[in-house]
Structure formats: structure tokens, C-alpha cells
Amino acid sequence: MASMLHLFLLLGSLMVASAGSLNENFDITWGDGRAKMVNDGELLTLSLDKASGSGFQSKNEYLFGKIDMQLKLVGGNSAGTVTAYYLSSKGSTWDEIDFEFLGNLSGDPYILHSNVFSQGKGNREQQFYLWFDPTADFHTYSILWNPQRIVFSVDGTPIREFKNSESIGVPFPKNQPMRIYSSLWNADDWATRGGLVKTDWTQAPFTASYRNFKADACIWSNGKSSCTSNSPSSSSSNGPWLSEELDTTSQERLKWVQKNYMIYNYCSDTKRFPQGLPAECSSTS
Ligand SMILES: *[C@@H]1O[C@H](CO)[C@@H](O)[C@H](O)[C@H]1NC(C)=O
């Protein structure tokens, strides 16, 4: 028994998984009471009214991780509202991995907007409709971020893979620790049908909810990572996610989403890039 316990403690300390309580992992950062921890941090809600939106951020900084959060988006007429959920570093050459959910009129589809910034440069948008109503229930939105790739997933189905293409000169986010941020705000100048549909403030306050945060991640603190350095002898002590890739089944599902639900891909927007598509587009990212 004692050695069993020992093994668990050892695994626990090496894998640095954190789960559950949102108040242990996040701070509400703005919104003047509009963001709330409910039930001891089991649930977090953000709200938006005409005067202000609201937001929160993670206490920890992470350098790589597999991060899951369940979100239930603003229901009813959510046109004009944007719920942003993303990882970002600081400074003028920041890295960022974005999920943004663009609201819509009741019954019209939300858009899941995604982007990847490396060293301050983004312009890598991909947008999707979802195969379910994201306001009816909680769904899991995940970011796998390791040195080889970034994978965006919804309920375990990968919707986007951004591969490390440093070998062809494309910077990849791998040196700057990032925090998790989320906010609910008014973006009716662009969000819904490109800004045509405005926020209906008679429906306010608008609310989005969060629960079941889980991070298998390397926590960055005082200039050091909680993960062991990636030498062959020690890599097995880090989580398998640190070298995870998409297996055949996941690749098939990714193709299914991209074929049936993708509504915008910067990699096929030849009008936008008349001088040639970004380099990473040729290596399917
Ligand atoms: C909102 O619904 C319209 C009509 O179906 C659609 O064109 C648009 O892509 C939807 N989403 C957003 C965020 O505009």
C-alpha cells in the first residue's frame, strides 16, 4: 500500500494535472461583479450588459499543455456578442491560441472562430459552424499545445491542427509562457453577419458559463517549467500529451469537420494573399 501511494504521489508531481475548482485556477479580472464564481468554483459565469462585459484569467502561466474547459454559450438572441476563450503571452511579439464564439439570432448558427498568433503575427483564421447547439448544453473545448503542434478540439473531435513548420521558416509558439483568458463582450460592429446584426440590449444581461476545467500542463513559474526537460531518458515522465499526434481516426474526424463545417480557411483565401498563401498552408495546417 505504501509503495502504491508513493507511486501515485510521484506520478502526480510529474504530470502536473489540475482539475476541478475554477476558483483555485482562475481570477476574475474585470466586469465589476458581472463575472461570478458559483458553488465554490464549480461553475463560473460571465455576463454582459450595455454598460460592460466581464472576464477572467488563469492564475498560472503554462508552457505547453492539454487544456479542457466546458462552455455553455449565450443562448437566445446572442447576436453581436462574442465569447473569447484563449491562451496568450505578453508583449509586442506575443503568441496566442484563440477560440472565439460569435453569437447569432435565435436559431441561427454560432460561428466558432479560431486563430494562431506566433511572435505577434496572426492572420490565420479558420471558422466553423458546430454540429450541435452550443447554447443548449455544456460542451468541451480543448487545446492541445505541444512543441510539434496545436490541435483545437470540440468534444474530443479535432477541428484544426496547426503544425510546427519552423523547418520552412514559420515561427511556432514554443518559447513564451501563456495564460488562459476568457471574456464576454459586445462586438456588434463585426461579429454577426459581419456587423449587420446588432446586439439587442433588451435581451441583456447575456450569460456564458464555464465548468470542468482540466489541464495536463507544464506550469511556468520563476523562469522554470514544472515539466522535466525533454531528454529521452526523462520524456516518459512527462505526460504523453507532450508528444501527442493525431492518430488515423482523429485525422479522419478532422477531415470530416473541415469538409462539412468549415466556413472560412485563410489557407484557401487566395484573394487575401495575392502574393501567395502563407508558407504553412502548403504543409496542411
Ligand atoms: C448567423 O446566421 C446567418 C444566417 O444563417 C449566417 O450567415 C451567419 O454565418 C451566422 N453566424 C454569424 C456569427 O454571423
Side-chain angles (χ1 to χ4, degrees):
M1 275 317 267
S3 65
M4 210 45 182
L5 180 63
H6 230 99
L7 182 64
F8 277 123
L9 289 174
L10 184 70
L11 284 174
S13 65
L14 290 170
M15 313 244 321
V16 199
S18 73
S21 151
L22 291 159
N23 51 9
E24 281 167 22
N25 290 286
F26 296 94
D27 290 318
I28 286 168
T29 43
W30 63 285
D32 202 16
R34 288 175 183 82
K36 289 193 184 80
M37 295 282 182
V38 185
N39 270 349
D40 257 347
E42 191 189 312
L43 184 76
L44 194 165
T45 57
L46 291 184
S47 79
L48 161 72
D49 57 39
K50 202 162 188 181
S52 177
S54 53
F56 64 87
Q57 70 180 46
S58 62
K59 295 184 195 278
N60 287 318
E61 289 186 292
Y62 305 93
L63 189 60
F64 306 124
K66 185 172 189 174
I67 296 168
D68 300 344
M69 182 80 97
Q70 292 194 322
L71 276 75
K72 185 175 167 181
L73 300 172
V74 175
N77 178 358
S78 59
T81 72
V82 170
T83 306
Y85 171 69
Y86 60 105
L87 289 165
S88 181
S89 66
K90 293 234 180 291
S92 58
T93 54
W94 78 101
D95 296 332
E96 188 175 314
I97 304 170
D98 282 333
F99 274 116
E100 280 186 330
F101 302 93
L102 318 185
N104 217 333
L105 296 169
S106 303
D108 280 351
Y110 258 73
I111 288 177
L112 186 163
H113 173 101
S114 69
N115 205 353
V116 175
F117 286 70
S118 40
Q119 298 177 10
K121 191 186 152 292
N123 300 325
R124 300 192 174 105
E125 298 85 358
Q126 287 187 355
Q127 295 186 333
F128 307 84
Y129 288 148
L130 293 162
W131 50 96
F132 52 85
D133 173 1
T135 74
D137 244 312
F138 284 92
H139 290 270
T140 306
Y141 301 90
S142 311
I143 292 169
L144 167 69
W145 171 35
N146 68 28
Q148 298 83 37
R149 57 184 43 76
I150 293 165
V151 179
F152 296 76
S153 303
V154 177
D155 290 334
T157 295
I159 61 164
R160 174 173 189 177
E161 180 179 28
F162 182 80
K163 288 186 185 148
N164 183 327
S165 304
E166 283 177 307
S167 62
I168 52 168
V170 181
F172 184 82
K174 66 164 210 278
N175 299 313
Q176 307 190 74
M178 303 204 239
R179 260 182 233 282
I180 303 167
Y181 296 87
S182 189
S183 55
L184 173 57
W185 43 290
N186 178 43
D188 67 1
D189 53 334
W190 63 271
T192 307
R193 298 181 58 201
L196 277 178
V197 188
K198 301 299 176 190
T199 303
D200 178 2
W201 294 111
T202 67
Q203 304 300 307
F206 302 98
T207 305
S209 308
Y210 302 74
R211 71 176 192 197
N212 289 347
F213 169 68
K214 179 168 177 281
D216 287 328
C218 305
I219 293 172
W220 185 262
S221 125
N222 297 318
K224 270 185 28 208
S225 171
S226 64
C227 292
T228 48
S229 68
N230 218 1
S231 70
S233 59
S234 65
S235 61
S236 58
S237 63
N238 292 315
W241 58 268
L242 202 48
S243 54
E244 187 175 329
E245 32 188 295
L246 295 180
D247 61 18
T248 319
T249 315
S250 300
Q251 283 177 24
E252 289 301 315
R253 304 189 73 187
L254 175 68
K255 276 199 206 121
W256 172 78
V257 173
Q258 301 213 330
K259 175 164 179 271
N260 295 292
Y261 294 95
M262 186 188 263
I263 54 169
Y264 178 78
N265 182 2
Y266 76 110
C267 277
S268 23
D269 196 345
T270 47
K271 273 207 210 97
R272 180 178 174 191
F273 302 104
Q275 64 290 48
L277 292 171
E280 70 272 16
C281 292
S282 49
S283 65
T284 59
S285 53

